[in-house]
Amino acid sequence: MNIVSIIVPCYNEEESIGYFYKAICEIEEKLEDAQLELVFVDDGSKDNTYDKLCELHESDKRVKCISFSRNFGKEAAIFSGLRAGEGDCFVVMDADLQHPPETIIEMYDCWKQGYEVVEGIKKSRGKESGLHKWFAGMFYDIISSATHMDMRNSSDFKLMDKKVVKELCSLTEKNTFFRALAYWVGFKSTSVSYEVCERVAGTTKWSYWKLGKYAIRNITSFTNVPLQIISILGIIFLIIGAILGIDAIVSVARGLAVGGYPTLLLLIVISTGAIMLSLGIIGVYISKIYDEIKNRPQYIIRDSKK
Ligand code: UDP
Ligand code: MG
């Protein structure tokens, strides 16, 4: 009998957990040669999520739960769950049933065929506003070129063999991006597609501000291209400067007046903008180094039931 560990990050999911548990139990009945282990990680919820999880643990010994001392974010919750699971393979999925549990059956079959990573690929991105779609599209274009993999419709919904999980858990970085790291570790992979469902209850935890921070954090943890762009910007400014300088010298030699105030103003504004932007980009990388060097844990566990 194989054990499939289901890792579920939960933040203020008291309304969803009941539905999720019911749906996942139905899946176990369909997996003939597998038993489930459910690892719920309460990411510092402000509602009664953890109480609900403890109730489940009392009534069902397959349920393990972990509670963080505060909200550390979904990434931290995923990694903590992966470290706590003891299965032969691991499935990471959301608590709100947006990742359809039936897909696990297909993923499990792929794993039995020898695939070590089975990616859940979204058939479409579900209901999102135009701005959200545009923003997400831009983010995935950048991240896909940084990782050299098409991540446009990828998600955190994945099945991984225990040896893949072991490698992921041995990474020491704190600024993790699970979705891309699961590609980065390599291994034999395939994908299954799924339709993103409506959230079963509650609301999304993402604001545009949170999404923006998430995008910058993940782009800078996977690529140094923004730093290289600064050098390219420097070269472009140098060339523009040289052309304008030569033009000024030629004009003076010809006895013509050199273009004055507007040109100067424009140049100062553009170059100051470029310098500030460059400093900002360098700042992001320095702050990441600062965060990593402090070596604080990615999360702190307040309580757990195993
Ligand atoms: N989540 C979490 N910590 C957070 C935010 C979200 O553990 O700080 C969990 C949440 O409970 C859910 C999953 O991550 O199980 C996806 O979150 P959500 O549904 O809000 O995101 P969306 O589906 O809208 O991208
Ligand atoms: Mg969701």
Side-chain angles (χ1 to χ4, degrees), residues 84 142 249:
I142 298 174
I249 292 167

Side-chain angles (χ1 to χ4, degrees), residues 13 74 94-99 196-199 203-206:
E13 298 284 7
K74 186 180 176 185
D94 290 356
D96 55 10
L97 289 179
Q98 285 200 283
H99 298 156
V196 181
C197 307
E198 285 281 314
R199 193 172 230 289
T203 51
T204 178
K205 313 301 177 307
W206 293 97

Side-chain angles (χ1 to χ4, degrees), residues 11 34 51 75-76 86 90 95 97 133 154 173 187 204 217 225 232 257-258 305:
Y11 180 54
D51 296 336
E75 288 286 321
E86 289 172 310
F90 291 65
L97 289 179
K133 263 206 171 97
S154 76
E173 64 196 78
F187 292 95
T204 178
R217 205 184 71 205
V225 168
I232 295 167
V258 178
K305 302 224 170 341

Side-chain angles (χ1 to χ4, degrees), residues 26-263:
E26 284 167 16
I27 293 305
E28 189 176 44
E29 288 159 21
K30 294 180 191 160
L31 294 171
E32 283 143 17
D33 57 346
Q35 221 180 328
L36 296 185
E37 172 196 51
L38 304 171
V39 184
F40 291 96
V41 184
D42 169 29
D43 183 15
S45 298
K46 295 189 173 63
D47 63 4
N48 292 323
T49 299
Y50 195 58
D51 296 336
K52 285 255 150 97
L53 295 176
C54 290
E55 278 170 28
L56 282 183
H57 169 78
E58 291 307 324
S59 62
D60 181 348
K61 288 300 162 207
R62 295 173 305 170
V63 175
K64 290 181 173 179
C65 39
I66 296 170
S67 170
F68 284 174
S69 60
R70 64 167 170 85
N71 178 239
F72 280 92
K74 186 180 176 185
E75 288 286 321
I78 291 175
F79 275 87
S80 151
L82 291 176
R83 290 194 176 103
E86 289 172 310
D88 299 297
C89 62
F90 291 65
V91 176
V92 173
M93 65 193 294
D94 290 356
D96 55 10
L97 289 179
Q98 285 200 283
H99 298 156
E102 309 82 65
T103 312
I104 296 174
I105 300 170
E106 215 180 317
M107 288 176 156
Y108 181 70
D109 283 341
C110 293
W111 177 71
K112 281 204 293 187
Q113 285 163 30
Y115 290 102
E116 290 146 328
V117 179
V118 188
E119 301 278 346
I121 302 287
K122 298 173 192 164
K123 278 190 190 146
S124 69
R125 296 192 49 90
K127 274 194 188 152
E128 283 174 343
S129 69
L131 185 64
H132 191 122
K133 263 206 171 97
W134 180 80
F135 186 80
M138 195 171 73
F139 169 64
Y140 284 111
D141 281 350
I142 298 174
I143 208 83
S144 298
S145 69
T147 53
H148 305 292
M149 282 162 285
D150 182 11
M151 296 200 42
R152 194 160 252 281
N153 286 320
S154 76
S155 67
D156 288 336
F157 186 24
K158 298 181 200 304
L159 180 146
M160 292 160 297
D161 187 87
K162 66 178 175 196
K163 49 180 184 261
V164 179
V165 171
K166 186 169 164 253
E167 292 306 326
L168 279 174
C169 292
S170 70
L171 299 175
T172 54
E173 64 196 78
K174 308 292 185 310
N175 278 297
T176 54
F177 181 27
F178 168 68
R179 200 174 298 188
L181 285 172
Y183 274 110
W184 182 87
V185 289
F187 292 95
K188 193 176 170 200
S189 70
T190 185
S191 61
V192 298
S193 56
Y194 70 94
E195 202 69 66
V196 181
C197 307
E198 285 281 314
R199 193 172 230 289
V200 68
T203 51
T204 178
K205 313 301 177 307
W206 293 97
S207 60
Y208 279 114
W209 174 247
K210 257 187 157 184
L211 277 172
K213 283 205 309 192
Y214 177 81
I216 292 173
R217 205 184 71 205
N218 292 329
I219 289 169
T220 50
S221 65
F222 258 86
T223 175
N224 293 328
V225 168
L227 286 174
Q228 286 151 15
I229 291 173
I230 296 177
S231 312
I232 295 167
L233 219 59
I235 294 169
I236 294 171
F237 270 85
L238 217 62
I239 295 170
I240 296 174
I243 294 170
L244 288 176
I246 292 166
D247 182 53
I249 292 167
V250 172
S251 300
V252 169
R254 280 187 183 166
L256 301 169
V258 178
Y261 186 68
T263 323

